Amino acid sequence: MKRLFNLLVAVFVVGAALYFFLNRSDKSEGEAPVLAGAPANAALLVRGEYLTKAADCIACHTVPGGKGQPFAGGLPFVLPFGTIYSSNITADPETGIGKWSDDDFVRALHDGVRADGKRLYPAFPYTSYTALSRNDVLAIKAYLFSLPKVSQPNREADLGFPFNQRWAMGLWNAAFFKSSRFEADASKPPAWNQGKYLATALGHCAECHTPRNFAFAMDADNNLAGESIQGWRAYNITSDAKHGIGAWSDAEVASYLTTGHAAGRGSASGPMGEAVEHSLQYLKPEDASALVSYLRTVPAKAGKNPIEIDAKAPWAVAASAAAPATSTAEGHEQGLRLFAAACASCHQWNGQGQQSANASLLGTRGVNDPDGANVTQMILQGVKMRVRDQEVYMPAFGKAYTDTEVAALANYVIAQFGNKQGAAVTPEFVAKQRTR
């Protein structure tokens, strides 16, 4: 027992030493690239609003569907080790951050430490926000403090031991985090640096699109190679031509980012749809172009469970808009009946879609993924977002269909439009997806 105690003490001391040595903060301010939508000479609140949207703060700090007030927190994040709830970041002095000083706010974004000295969990992306300049952080704070105050107490995280020990985040930070500001690459064009700042700091793309290791830290060796989050698959957005976006044109990437749709490539939904609705659609064209230029240079990676696209799935091509190809029913009779009843009128039997370009299915990664995560979530949750004064809508069928029916429909869609006969979405998988 004594030997075990001494070992634990040794581990703690070494961990603490590593923390203080490795987690030193780089206090140099650095120089953030000048974004077209947030020039330095713009009014503080104008800059702050643009930066806040680019950082997509509202998506995580607001319960959607009109169930929560903007920025008042309470959105659950279901993680492998428990559930974390986003915090109230309105200027309410009692339940929000109204008493936080400038230094308090900067420390939270740069170092992951709250005003009371307690450590934040990396579900809050301080691991990316650390690269923001102090001026940009304070512009965001000024904008948040200009908004209505909301009195809403924060919910405590529902985590088991040892994950509920916030102090232990100091050791995690020692191993996986370095507080440092963005440094421009002088060998690259200004637009590329703007794009990198948007992708890595403000937009924190890696937080969703980069795989996590055993300790839930981002795997830098597979940056942007794709990951699963909250029951959705955040796709590979490296320059890989087969599994990433390397074969997409610049116009297609920009369109997907700012409108949520790229013809023949896919339509955004789930967390990515939220990013488009609340953040990316507001980027100035110059900033969106800069973001594309940076993504073009992200090293190509196949990622785990890579998806191969069949843009000309034979059953879909053989079908007319009004009727299915006869051979598709074998083994998918129930899915075909469900598709006929609820889906064909919008998506059409050939997957071309009508009424809205967002309804097209051919060439999308969702229908080409045998695991069926995103197709299943789309059936369960539907889509409802507003982009550029247009409503993008698909009804949710989670309450109307049983787990068996959802599985049958998902498997049919993947076989019909992705030519993936090996899809094996099960009722058990659907049941789990419902809880995400």
Side-chain angles (χ1 to χ4, degrees):
M1 182 63 72
K2 182 177 181 181
R3 182 174 298 177
L4 176 60
F5 176 77
N6 290 337
L7 177 61
L8 290 173
V9 170
V11 170
F12 177 81
V13 171
V14 171
L18 282 171
Y19 166 72
F20 287 113
F21 178 74
L22 295 176
N23 198 42
R24 294 168 297 175
S25 177
D26 179 1
K27 298 300 182 182
S28 61
E29 177 56 25
E31 187 172 339
V34 177
L35 302 179
N41 61 353
L44 181 63
L45 294 184
V46 172
R47 289 187 63 245
E49 180 179 13
Y50 187 81
L51 294 168
T52 301
K53 287 180 177 178
D56 203 12
C57 303
I58 195 170
C60 288
H61 290 276
T62 306
V63 176
K67 298 178 181 178
Q69 295 297 311
F71 301 104
L75 184 69
F77 291 85
V78 181
L79 305 171
F81 38 81
T83 302
I84 294 174
Y85 300 89
S86 63
S87 58
N88 184 340
I89 57 170
T90 73
D92 183 71
E94 301 304 324
T95 64
I97 59 173
K99 293 180 179 179
W100 286 29
S101 67
D102 286 355
D103 286 342
D104 290 335
F105 193 76
V106 170
R107 192 182 184 200
L109 272 68
H110 280 176
D111 302 321
V113 179
R114 304 188 315 197
D116 62 3
K118 293 184 178 180
R119 297 196 169 275
L120 294 164
Y121 292 108
F124 173 69
Y126 66 86
T127 46
S128 295
Y129 289 158
T130 187
L132 294 172
S133 72
R134 180 181 176 89
N135 286 341
D136 283 353
V137 171
L138 292 182
I140 291 173
K141 176 177 179 284
Y143 174 69
L144 291 175
F145 273 52
S146 74
L147 301 176
K149 302 173 184 178
V150 179
S151 178
Q152 178 174 300
N154 292 313
R155 292 188 63 174
E156 287 296 323
D158 183 15
L159 303 173
F161 183 85
F163 305 106
N164 59 357
Q165 302 299 303
R166 285 184 179 270
W167 63 267
M169 285 306 306
L171 304 181
W172 186 93
N173 286 344
F176 303 110
F177 172 65
K178 174 67 175 174
S179 177
S180 60
R181 289 342 125 232
F182 180 87
E183 292 185 8
D185 185 341
S187 69
K188 300 289 187 180
W192 183 92
N193 282 292
Q194 290 171 244
K196 184 177 181 180
Y197 188 69
L198 278 166
T200 62
L202 271 172
H204 54 279
C205 305
E207 301 285 345
C208 290
H209 289 274
T210 297
R212 301 275 176 169
N213 64 19
F214 71 96
F216 203 67
M218 289 183 286
D219 177 8
D221 291 336
N222 285 288
N223 184 39
L224 303 184
E227 179 60 300
S228 294
I229 180 170
Q230 301 291 300
W232 292 83
R233 187 164 180 178
Y235 294 124
N236 184 333
I237 55 172
T238 72
S239 59
D240 188 283
K242 187 174 184 180
H243 306 298
I245 58 172
W248 295 32
S249 69
D250 287 357
E252 287 171 338
V253 178
S255 177
Y256 189 86
L257 292 173
T258 59
T259 71
H261 176 74
R265 300 295 186 180
S267 299
S269 55
M272 188 62 199
E274 292 175 354
V276 172
E277 180 179 23
H278 299 302
S279 176
L280 294 169
Q281 69 165 311
Y282 297 105
L283 291 179
K284 294 289 186 180
E286 304 94 316
D287 291 332
S289 178
L291 179 54
V292 173
S293 71
Y294 169 72
L295 291 176
R296 285 289 186 221
T297 67
V298 176
K301 299 286 183 179
K304 60 183 179 182
N305 300 322
I307 298 172
E308 294 190 16
I309 304 295
D310 188 339
K312 296 181 179 180
W315 289 293
V317 173
S320 70
T326 56
S327 59
T328 59
E330 186 176 351
H332 295 286
E333 291 82 2
Q334 184 181 23
L336 184 147
R337 289 195 298 270
L338 291 166
F339 189 88
C343 311
S345 60
C346 287
H347 296 289
Q348 299 185 300
W349 290 102
N350 58 10
Q352 296 295 331
Q354 65 177 347
Q355 300 174 342
S356 169
N358 293 71
S360 61
L361 297 173
L362 285 182
T364 69
R365 285 194 273 193
V367 303
N368 280 274
D369 181 5
D371 291 342
N374 288 13
V375 167
T376 300
Q377 288 289 14
M378 286 284 290
I379 296 170
L380 291 174
Q381 298 186 27
V383 179
K384 185 178 182 180
M385 62 182 189
R386 189 171 185 82
V387 181
R388 297 188 175 182
D389 296 324
Q390 292 186 343
E391 292 288 344
V392 179
Y393 177 75
M394 170 183 157
F397 295 95
K399 293 182 179 180
Y401 290 166
T402 66
D403 293 342
T404 299
E405 289 172 327
V406 172
L409 179 55
N411 286 327
Y412 172 76
V413 167
I414 294 168
Q416 167 80 357
F417 302 106
N419 193 26
K420 303 296 188 297
Q421 293 301 303
V425 177
T426 65
E428 292 75 19
F429 175 76
V430 175
K432 290 181 179 179
Q433 289 292 84
R434 289 183 188 272
T435 64
R436 301 289 184 156

